[in-house]
Amino acid sequence: MAALIHGGISSIGLKNFNYKGRTSPLFKDTHTSFLSVQRRKFNLKVRAAETDTNEVTSRSPDKAPATNAGSSNINQLLGMKGAAQEADKWKIRLQLTKPVTWAPLIWGVVCGAAASGNFQWNVEDVAKSLCCMILSGPFLTGYTQTLNDWYDREIDAINEPYRPIPSGAISENEVITQIWVLLLGGLGLAAVLDVWAGHDVPTVFYIAVGGSLLSYIYSAPPLKLKQNGWIGNFALGSSYICLPWWAGQALFGTLKPDIMVLTVLYSIAGLGIAVVNDFKSIEGDRTMGLQSLPVAFGVETAKWICVGAIDITQLTVAGYLFATGKLYYALALLGLITPQVILQFQYLLKDPIKYDVKYQASAQPFLVLGLLVTALATSH
């Protein structure tokens, strides 16, 4: 429920955003006027300062850098970089939720259900798990991504000015409405799942509320956790690993302290994954004062922090499984770490800016399979 993270129900006072001559009372913007960013984004040429021995000098185009119409349209629907510009509002709304980011959350629910040891392949349990996946993916991840795009609109005006909000393809009121509908829909579905599971304590609802609040403070001022590369990336990693796992396990069984500790440890690998996404945003992050790890330490150091967090975490978990008598699970996890290391040298360590997407697409499947191996190990 990475998406479970990011919200704040009563206090989601976003910003006062002057948009096409209208001012929303819900938004009190203490930052640079978005319109002023819009006016100067075409003239703005950001030259990144040197980061260690690396210099980043790329400039984002005003139009999406799509290679062909087919892939561009698919990227638009999935919320990926290089998307086509759309006029259809429902396609734009879907793009804001970034469906490509739902997969890890949905997988996290699978891992949690497996770790419970109580999931049965019957109609009721499958239906419960599907509802929990919808909660974690379309609702709360969609809420998180839309909220994050709202608060990142000034950075996106520099990095990706063709995105829906900075390009003006969707209005202020439409974005605000989408944020509230997804948040309240997710919390409502979480409450229904607790009733369905017969919980005396609404555990799934509490996880959803906690995740939604974490999402809000991650994206929104004054805390805006994403401004700090360490805290922000760990919060993001934990939301993608811990929260959906906890929801799936709580839905079908009991969420135990040792599992909570293990998944929090696994979230350090999530921190490394989050750093991969920071490489493409160095210019905008530096301009807006966000201390992502590539900005703070430079590309060379950040890429080693990234692979270290991913690999050392998984090796530690494999050691834990071995120490607790789960030899075959430990060996399986080691087998899944090996191709990740090979792909890191092939792509990420060679050029993390150029190969970030290719690395994620080729290496992450092995990491998420390792999560399932760990979940199955803990269920026995």
Side-chain angles (χ1 to χ4, degrees):
M1 254 167 225
L4 275 183
I5 123 181
H6 302 77
I9 308 174
S10 61
S11 63
I12 191 175
L14 301 174
K15 297 181 184 176
N16 190 10
F17 174 39
N18 190 350
Y19 187 92
K20 293 185 179 178
R22 293 170 297 141
T23 301
S24 169
L26 289 175
F27 290 69
K28 299 180 179 179
D29 198 351
T30 59
H31 299 279
T32 306
S33 163
F34 181 57
L35 282 182
S36 67
V37 175
Q38 284 288 85
R39 285 194 295 269
R40 69 173 183 267
K41 72 180 181 182
F42 299 103
N43 299 319
L44 180 61
K45 187 174 184 179
V46 179
R47 189 181 184 91
E50 276 194 347
T51 53
D52 291 345
T53 59
N54 295 275
E55 183 178 15
V56 181
T57 58
S58 63
R59 183 188 177 195
S60 297
D62 293 332
K63 292 184 179 180
T67 54
N68 60 68
S71 64
S72 178
N73 290 332
I74 293 173
N75 288 353
Q76 191 274 329
L77 292 176
L78 294 178
M80 296 171 64
K81 190 175 181 180
Q85 290 182 296
E86 263 289 345
D88 187 301
K89 281 294 170 62
W90 288 106
K91 289 183 178 179
I92 292 171
R93 288 185 181 281
L94 181 64
Q95 180 181 2
L96 284 174
T97 67
K98 295 187 180 71
V100 71
T101 65
W102 300 352
L105 287 300
I106 291 171
W107 187 258
V109 173
V110 172
C111 292
S116 73
N118 296 323
F119 177 83
Q120 303 294 324
W121 285 102
N122 57 47
V123 173
E124 183 177 12
D125 281 4
V126 170
K128 283 181 185 177
S129 63
L130 289 174
C131 287
C132 196
M133 291 174 188
I134 293 170
L135 163 68
S136 300
F139 273 115
L140 292 182
T141 302
Y143 152 74
T144 295
Q145 296 294 349
T146 306
L147 183 73
N148 188 62
D149 263 26
W150 173 261
Y151 282 111
D152 274 359
R153 61 193 184 276
E154 294 173 3
I155 296 176
D156 286 342
I158 299 169
N159 290 326
E160 300 177 84
Y162 44 81
R163 288 196 58 76
I165 296 176
S167 69
I170 188 168
S171 73
E172 167 194 354
N173 288 335
E174 288 169 329
V175 175
I176 297 169
T177 299
Q178 177 160 320
I179 289 169
W180 279 104
V181 168
L182 292 173
L183 172 62
L184 297 179
L187 295 178
L189 182 54
V192 169
L193 285 173
D194 279 316
V195 173
W196 194 352
H199 291 164
D200 294 327
V201 177
T203 313
V204 178
F205 179 78
Y206 288 160
I207 294 170
V209 170
S212 299
L213 179 59
L214 180 58
S215 293
Y216 180 71
I217 65 175
Y218 172 82
S219 297
L223 295 179
K224 201 174 181 73
L225 299 181
K226 68 183 297 179
Q227 291 181 111
N228 181 290
W230 293 108
I231 298 173
N233 284 340
F234 184 76
L236 187 62
S238 64
S239 71
Y240 273 80
I241 292 177
C242 294
L243 294 171
W245 182 315
W246 293 356
Q249 185 157 354
L251 184 61
F252 292 101
T254 302
L255 186 58
K256 299 177 181 178
D258 59 330
I259 294 297
M260 297 180 74
V261 171
L262 183 63
T263 52
V264 168
L265 174 63
Y266 232 123
S267 297
I268 298 174
L271 181 152
I273 295 169
V275 174
V276 178
N277 296 322
D278 288 337
F279 288 112
K280 69 177 183 295
S281 303
I282 293 173
E283 290 189 41
D285 289 347
R286 182 183 290 112
T287 301
M288 302 307 298
L290 301 184
Q291 289 297 303
S292 67
L293 297 188
V295 170
F297 295 99
V299 174
E300 282 298 314
T301 301
K303 71 184 184 183
W304 285 104
I305 293 174
C306 174
V307 300
I310 293 171
D311 297 344
I312 293 172
T313 298
Q314 293 180 92
L315 289 170
T316 302
V317 172
Y320 166 78
L321 295 179
F322 178 79
T324 54
K326 310 292 176 60
L327 174 61
Y328 294 114
Y329 289 104
L331 292 174
L333 186 53
L334 287 173
L336 291 167
I337 295 170
T338 302
Q340 294 178 62
V341 174
I342 294 171
L343 290 165
Q344 285 162 3
F345 278 97
Q346 184 177 355
Y347 296 124
L348 191 62
L349 294 174
K350 183 181 295 184
D351 190 337
I353 298 174
K354 181 178 179 180
Y355 295 119
D356 60 336
V357 175
K358 186 170 288 188
Y359 168 74
Q360 295 276 51
S362 56
Q364 273 202 24
F366 296 104
L367 186 143
V368 298
L369 283 173
L371 279 170
L372 183 59
V373 167
T374 304
L376 292 171
T378 60
S379 70
H380 292 80

